[in-house]
Amino acid sequence: MLDAQGPRGSRRGVSRLELVTVVVLLVLSLGLRLTGLQRFVANDEIRWTCRSIQFREALRRREWADTLRVGHPGVVTTWLGAAFIPRNVPEAELICRASEGGMELDKIGAAPEERTRRIAMLGQLLFQGRIGVSLFTWLSIFVVYLLVRTVWGPEIGLLSLGLIALDPFYLALSRVLHIDAVLTSLMTVSVLSLLASLRRPESSVCRSGLLLLSGSVGGLAMLQKSPALFVALFAALLLIGDAWRRGRSPQVWSRAGGELFLWALAAVIVYVALWPAMWSDPRGTIQRVLDTAVGYAGQGHEQGNYFLGRPVGDPGWGYYPVALLFRMSPLVLLGLIAVVFWIARGGELEERRFDVAALLVYSILFGVLMSLGAKKFDRYLLPVFPPIGIAAAVGLLEMAEAGKLVFKRIFNHSLRRWGHLTITVIVVVLQVALVLPHYPHYLTWYNPLLGGVRQARNAIVVGWGEGYEQAAAYLNAKSNAEKLRVAVPTFAAFAPLFSGETQPVSDFSTWQTDYVVFYLAQVQRQHDASLMERYFSNPRVQPEYTVVLHGVEYAWIYPNTDYLQPLKYIEKHSRPSQDLLLVNADSVLSRNYHGELEMREFRSHSSPKQVAELLDHL
């Protein structure tokens, strides 16, 4: 399939069949990314909606320091959000300011109706912001294809395009207004550009251009999230490794040092130029980013974690290998096994083996880096998925070539028609068959070889907001939905979808809350133990409604029935011709009383004057 000079056909023009295949894959990938974006809300997205809005306002007012919204720092996501979130909503900036950047959404209005309306409006803005992330990751996939084709040729380019564009985990996170999919796209383009530059003649314009592209995109990745500093370390390691292979002469080392300097210079220029906070206070900005990175490394998630059947603070070194296996496509797993054997076998094509090994080393080292921190989630490992997808494509094609040779020896018949396009079509069909059943909740996809989501829930945290829309739809269908108060564990993921009043589960009240919702990730980590003991773990209490996704219960809705006993007492002892029912209008009792007594209502936030007027009237 390959000759000793590099990928066979890497300098060939694009055939019509290849062009059609690429277009079909890109259109399919774009459709999967853009359809159904309004179906659910992930836990942190409202915060990124507000950060994007406030970032845009800071730009408009030229208050450069205020473009530092959070220490991640997530600058590229806020740029994308600012570009795609509608501008003609002046109330949005006021809401984001009142809610501390989306951190305190339950405090953005005096009345419940006002809070509900405002949160729903933020949700609609969020759905528009998602388009920016979806388009950005999609365009990045096309750039990745071009770079892979440059390094490995059209065969690997097409197959890796199919594996990456339709990767379930990458696809799922490409559809939310968040950090990780954008970070993954940038880090992958940076590493591949550097690899492509090393395959060009020294001192050539193309080599320098690819090197500058790698550094510039690496700088963008660092603007997105502090772990992207790893790209700079890997660039140094890759240049040193390439120099070592090419003879270790003073000229070679000097050339490598110059290229590393050029890479770093491009990264620094982009980092400063595209983040206005660096213009006003570069030292303070960098210090905050570093403080956030160190804080994440030293402390676990404030809500805890879950690993192998029990709640934990830091799940330890075993977490990411387990998470990787659950999130990896079976085709990628198969290709990785094949490529490891191919590398170990050695032989010709040393340069190609070096490139593939570089991607594997990159993935392993990044996994080690992320394992050093106490805060761990499966999405933090997303940047390794495109590189291992490319390596898997090499393994799958090598395995296919070996299979054709074996078939010819056994049956004395050549399978010439089973070329790389046939293999690509098979892979794409299998990937689509794996992905489509999970629309629009691609996050519910887990490796079926390991038991899918049914087994994943016993190993890692499952659920990032998917399924809440079904719980909200069930409650919205009730005749008095606008008057209902519902307590949920993840306020920002549920409130934009619910037409009534949403409360944090910590504010659950026996006299005020109509329903309490439990969510799978909350149950795994054993949050709100007393409330769980009262409802979820109580065999005498059954949920009114359960959300089931792919055979797994994700959310449980329990009604608050504490008002039933007082209602029975009132019905038994009241005298309709003589008694009057005085009740708090905010209470669940008030919303459920339909008896014969005349009812007068007051509110818990009524002023002394209003109370006096009510008493005078009575």
Side-chain angles (χ1 to χ4, degrees), residues 308-386:
L308 298 182
R310 62 187 182 90
V312 294
D314 180 357
W317 287 85
Y319 181 83
Y320 283 122
V322 172
L324 178 65
L325 288 173
F326 269 108
R327 284 302 192 180
M328 188 187 302
S329 166
L331 294 169
V332 173
L333 180 59
L334 180 63
L336 282 180
I337 295 173
V339 84
V340 169
F341 278 103
W342 175 74
I343 293 174
R345 191 179 71 235
E348 299 180 354
L349 308 176
E350 178 185 350
E351 193 171 80
R352 183 171 179 241
R353 281 183 167 82
F354 176 85
D355 293 336
V356 176
L359 294 181
L360 296 179
V361 170
Y362 165 88
S363 302
I364 293 170
L365 292 181
F366 185 78
V368 170
L369 173 67
M370 299 311 297
S371 295
L372 294 174
K375 189 174 183 180
K376 297 179 177 73
F377 287 116
D378 55 359
R379 65 180 182 273
Y380 292 176
L381 200 62
L382 185 65
V384 311
F385 277 72

Side-chain angles (χ1 to χ4, degrees), residues 150-211:
T150 298
V151 179
W152 286 283
E155 294 89 350
I156 304 300
L158 272 179
L159 186 51
S160 61
L161 175 62
L163 289 173
I164 295 171
L166 303 176
D167 181 85
F169 196 34
Y170 187 30
L171 170 63
L173 293 173
S174 297
R175 291 161 47 83
V176 295
L177 185 62
H178 211 264
I179 302 177
D180 301 291
V182 175
L183 172 71
T184 297
S185 304
L186 293 169
M187 292 179 68
T188 303
V189 170
S190 179
V191 171
L192 291 177
S193 300
L194 184 56
L195 278 173
S197 74
L198 297 180
R199 300 298 153 252
R200 297 294 177 175
E202 294 183 8
S203 304
S204 69
V205 175
C206 187
R207 182 181 179 112
S208 298
L210 287 167
L211 191 68

Side-chain angles (χ1 to χ4, degrees), residues 73-322:
V75 175
V76 182
T77 292
T78 52
W79 272 111
L80 292 171
F84 282 85
I85 292 174
R87 293 172 173 78
N88 56 344
V89 190
E91 188 181 11
E93 168 65 13
L94 299 176
I95 296 172
C96 290
R97 192 182 303 121
S99 64
E100 300 294 332
M103 300 291 287
E104 302 289 343
L105 288 173
D106 56 327
K107 301 177 181 177
I108 60 174
E113 297 79 8
E114 183 182 24
R115 291 194 295 270
T116 299
R117 179 185 63 81
R118 288 182 166 184
I119 294 172
M121 183 187 70
L122 284 180
Q124 293 301 313
L125 297 178
L126 156 65
F127 297 142
Q128 295 298 312
R130 281 178 169 177
I131 297 175
V133 173
S134 297
L135 289 176
F136 183 89
T137 54
W138 177 72
L139 290 172
S140 299
I141 288 170
F142 179 60
V143 175
V144 166
Y145 159 72
L146 295 177
L147 291 170
V148 172
R149 193 182 193 280
T150 298
V151 179
W152 286 283
E155 294 89 350
I156 304 300
L158 272 179
L159 186 51
S160 61
L161 175 62
L163 289 173
I164 295 171
L166 303 176
D167 181 85
F169 196 34
Y170 187 30
L171 170 63
L173 293 173
S174 297
R175 291 161 47 83
V176 295
L177 185 62
H178 211 264
I179 302 177
D180 301 291
V182 175
L183 172 71
T184 297
S185 304
L186 293 169
M187 292 179 68
T188 303
V189 170
S190 179
V191 171
L192 291 177
S193 300
L194 184 56
L195 278 173
S197 74
L198 297 180
R199 300 298 153 252
R200 297 294 177 175
E202 294 183 8
S203 304
S204 69
V205 175
C206 187
R207 182 181 179 112
S208 298
L210 287 167
L211 191 68
L212 288 173
L213 173 63
S214 176
S216 300
V217 178
L220 281 174
M222 295 175 213
L223 279 177
Q224 182 68 353
K225 200 173 183 181
S226 51
L229 287 167
F230 171 78
V231 175
L233 299 176
F234 185 77
L237 180 64
L238 190 58
L239 289 170
I240 291 172
D242 186 67
W244 184 273
R245 287 190 324 116
R246 290 188 290 119
R248 304 185 294 278
S249 66
Q251 294 82 0
V252 170
W253 288 118
S254 175
R255 177 74 185 180
E259 289 181 334
L260 181 59
F261 174 78
L262 189 63
W263 190 99
L265 180 64
V268 170
I269 290 174
V270 168
Y271 194 91
V272 174
L274 293 184
W275 194 7
M278 290 291 294
W279 309 347
S280 60
D281 183 17
R283 182 176 179 180
T285 299
I286 292 176
Q287 185 62 51
R288 182 170 172 183
V289 171
L290 293 177
D291 289 344
T292 300
V294 172
Y296 274 10
Q299 299 177 1
H301 196 276
E302 60 272 13
Q303 295 184 359
N305 210 322
Y306 174 87
F307 187 51
L308 298 182
R310 62 187 182 90
V312 294
D314 180 357
W317 287 85
Y319 181 83
Y320 283 122
V322 172

